[in-house]
Amino acid sequence: MKERLFLHDRAEWYSGLGNLRRDVLAGMVGTFALIPEVIAFSFVAGVDPEVGLFATFVISVVIAFAGGRPAMISGAAGSVALVAAALVASHGLQYLLAATVLAGLIQIVFGLLRLDVLMRFVSKSVRTGFVNALAVLIFSAQLPHMLGVAWQTWALIAAGLAIIYLVPRLTTAIPSPLICILALTALTMAVPMPVATVADLGRLPDSLPAFLIPEVPFSLETLAIVAPYALAMAMVGLLESMMTASVVDDLTETNSSKARECAGLGLANLTAGFTGGIAGCGMIGQTVGNLRFGGWGRVSTLTAGVFLLVLMVLLRPWVSQVPVAALVAIMIMVSVETFSWASLRDLARHPKVSSVVMLATVAVTVLTHNLAAGVAVGVMLSGVFFAFKVMRLMDVRDEYDAATGTRTYRVSGQVFFASAEILADAFDLRDEAPNIRIDLTAAHLWDVTAVAALEAAVGKLRRRGKRVEVVGLNAASALLVDRHGPAIQAGMGAGMGAGAG
């Protein structure tokens, strides 16, 4: 067993020179896709770009070793920045660093307790909506770089897209996005033109990150300030990372350890907080791009982080000359590849409720720019629609035996909070039959609401002088009745014992 796990982990790092080369090149391309988004979200969070860039380097390196999903790109971007902004505005950067450390600890505990099973409540429709919304947000994030600019910017974007989509027809030895960056950078350096460059996006760091302890008072008052933000950052980060890991699982047709990914993200954020960085999470746009460029192993994730540091510190003068148009072209390609175009066709084929869930997830995410809010609404709607569907499957039929004066109610389906009222309304309290038999052989009681509804109906019938017996309870339902329905149990006598299943 240990030998098999060792071979599996080794394959995630090295599976041949060809795959290693693709991982390295894909990671390098992914780095360029990281820079503009990390800088943009740093501004959203209210911190200097170098805070987000340093954090992304640390997170990428740590998650490459500790994460549970190979090929995932993680960094300081996404909805986490939206949560962090309020804390930075009210208390400053040092409190944000403290919240980042605490968020990392929460995520580690989350992973160790294997609470990743909560992802099972996220339906396929929600995941599709999540992906589509992200594609829309990625594309919309490029609009500021495309509006109110000189015609040369549009020409460069068009040229970049042509390179990205046409070069693979000639060769796939080097990822076409990397060729796009090199070619357009060389062009703008050789022929000066009025276009924005990476240097215009914000100040790039010029030193290495160093260990530090957040400069905040170590008191309960500080904890009271930091804890709510830390919890929100931790939950949003976990949600986006697990969603990203699930998307990668689908694209690669492989499985991954979500619990390890949670703990690994926590360790990465803990390290980021102690090196002056903001908390981060899985970045689905960059991750999908990494896969499209050929990066399927952990080396691609490690390369993205290490190359980011190299670009920031050693190659800073050259990186600053990269035209933003080249990055915009890459991100447009990523948004097109990320969007599930098949989901548009499925709108007419899939059940209406599934389509509503998907569209609601997209709408809420795009309107709020908050992936967590969109997923939360999608999960809630999925639960409501599922409960409504199961509720409608419950049925109560009755028959009367004149010889014994017994009215038998046969209940089938699932009895729970949504269908309990239907069960209660099915009994005719004005029935003249002296004996009432409630047969639950084909039914299952799921919660205390169901037991309470049954108990209330039995009580009303008995107060009208009728002899009521409940039969056919399966073992789980009988246990629930024993604990929460004493009135039912008190009057069943031998009737229940004879009919219990």
Side-chain angles (χ1 to χ4, degrees):
M1 180 66 177
K2 291 183 178 180
E3 181 180 356
R4 186 164 63 251
L5 290 175
F6 171 75
L7 293 175
H8 180 266
D9 288 343
R10 187 178 69 175
E12 292 180 347
W13 282 99
Y14 179 78
S15 58
L17 286 176
N19 291 333
L20 179 63
R21 177 179 58 82
R22 283 191 289 272
D23 278 347
V24 171
L25 292 176
M28 293 171 66
V29 174
T31 300
F32 284 99
L34 279 171
I35 292 174
E37 187 166 342
V38 170
I39 291 177
F41 276 102
S42 295
F43 283 122
V44 170
V47 299
D48 292 331
E50 62 181 0
V51 174
L53 291 169
F54 273 152
T56 300
F57 157 68
V58 171
I59 291 171
S60 295
V61 171
V62 174
I63 208 74
F65 292 93
R69 174 67 262 179
M72 260 187 66
I73 303 295
S74 299
S79 299
V80 175
L82 299 174
V83 177
L87 179 59
V88 174
S90 60
H91 292 87
L93 175 62
Q94 295 302 317
Y95 278 82
L96 173 61
L97 300 183
T100 298
V101 171
L102 182 56
L105 291 173
I106 293 173
Q107 290 169 335
I108 291 174
V109 172
F110 193 95
L112 294 177
L113 295 179
R114 305 190 69 84
L115 298 180
D116 56 288
V117 295
L118 297 176
M119 270 298 295
R120 295 175 184 173
F121 293 96
V122 181
S123 67
K124 178 68 174 178
S125 299
V126 176
R127 295 183 187 183
T128 302
F130 174 87
V131 170
N132 289 347
L134 190 67
V136 173
L137 291 180
I138 292 173
F139 182 82
S140 63
Q142 312 314 310
L143 294 179
H145 305 299
M146 301 166 64
L147 301 177
V149 297
W151 65 268
Q152 290 91 337
T153 298
W154 284 90
L156 289 177
I157 294 174
L161 290 171
I163 292 172
I164 290 171
Y165 284 107
L166 296 179
V167 166
R169 298 185 179 185
L170 302 176
T171 178
T172 56
I174 301 177
S176 59
L178 183 57
I179 297 177
C180 166
I181 291 171
L182 296 175
L184 296 189
T185 302
L187 176 62
T188 54
M189 293 179 69
V191 183
M193 54 186 73
V195 296
T197 63
V198 169
D200 299 318
L201 296 178
R203 179 176 176 272
L204 296 175
D206 54 9
S207 62
L208 296 175
F211 177 80
L212 59 85
I213 297 177
E215 298 178 1
V216 296
F218 290 88
S219 63
L220 291 177
E221 182 181 357
T222 300
L223 181 62
I225 295 172
V226 168
Y229 293 98
L231 180 61
M233 291 164 63
M235 292 301 103
V236 168
L238 288 171
L239 177 63
E240 292 200 36
S241 290
M242 287 192 288
M243 289 292 293
T244 302
S246 296
V247 170
V248 178
D249 288 350
D250 292 339
L251 291 175
T252 60
E253 297 183 349
T254 58
N255 296 321
S256 61
S257 172
K258 304 301 186 300
R260 179 178 173 183
E261 184 63 34
C262 294
L265 179 64
L267 181 61
N269 283 330
L270 181 68
T271 308
F274 280 127
T275 52
I278 184 177
C281 59
M283 301 172 67
I284 189 169
Q286 283 70 16
T287 298
V288 172
N290 184 47
L291 293 172
R292 301 299 185 199
F293 307 150
W296 281 47
R298 293 184 181 272
V299 171
S300 62
T301 306
L302 180 63
T303 301
V306 173
F307 192 55
L308 177 62
L309 184 65
V310 172
L311 291 177
M312 288 190 301
V313 179
L314 301 181
L315 303 179
R316 186 167 172 265
W318 289 273
V319 175
S320 62
Q321 298 301 313
V322 174
V324 173
L327 305 180
V328 170
I330 293 175
M331 296 310 293
I332 290 176
M333 182 274 293
V334 170
S335 67
V336 171
E337 295 290 335
T338 300
F339 194 90
S340 176
W341 298 100
S343 65
L344 298 180
R345 181 190 67 240
D346 293 337
L347 287 175
R349 303 191 319 172
H350 285 178
K352 287 185 174 60
V353 292
S354 297
S355 298
V356 169
V357 169
M358 191 273 285
L359 293 174
T361 303
V362 173
V364 173
T365 301
V366 172
L367 290 175
T368 63
H369 283 233
N370 189 331
L371 292 166
V375 171
V377 170
V379 170
M380 181 186 69
L381 286 178
S382 294
V384 171
F385 289 148
F386 176 77
F388 182 74
K389 182 177 181 179
V390 175
M391 175 193 73
R392 295 179 63 185
L393 295 177
M394 199 199 78
D395 183 50
V396 181
R397 298 180 182 276
D398 68 278
E399 57 186 41
Y400 180 67
D401 185 355
T404 60
T406 301
R407 174 78 64 183
T408 300
Y409 290 92
R410 303 190 187 280
V411 184
S412 61
Q414 312 304 314
V415 188
F416 62 115
F417 62 88
S419 58
E421 187 174 346
I422 298 176
L423 174 66
D425 293 341
F427 302 110
D428 184 2
L429 300 180
R430 295 172 298 179
D431 193 346
E432 297 297 330
N435 302 314
I436 303 295
R437 181 182 177 91
I438 303 174
D439 187 352
L440 296 168
T441 303
H444 184 89
L445 305 182
W446 282 100
D447 54 21
V448 293
T449 305
V451 175
L454 180 62
E455 185 178 37
V458 169
K460 292 176 182 178
L461 290 169
R462 285 179 179 152
R463 283 194 293 273
R464 283 165 172 74
K466 302 181 185 301
R467 180 181 182 277
V468 182
E469 63 174 348
V470 179
V471 299
L473 286 169
N474 58 36
S477 298
L479 181 61
L480 200 62
V481 168
D482 287 342
R483 292 179 176 177
H484 305 288
I488 300 173
Q489 185 183 30
M492 285 191 296
M496 178 184 171

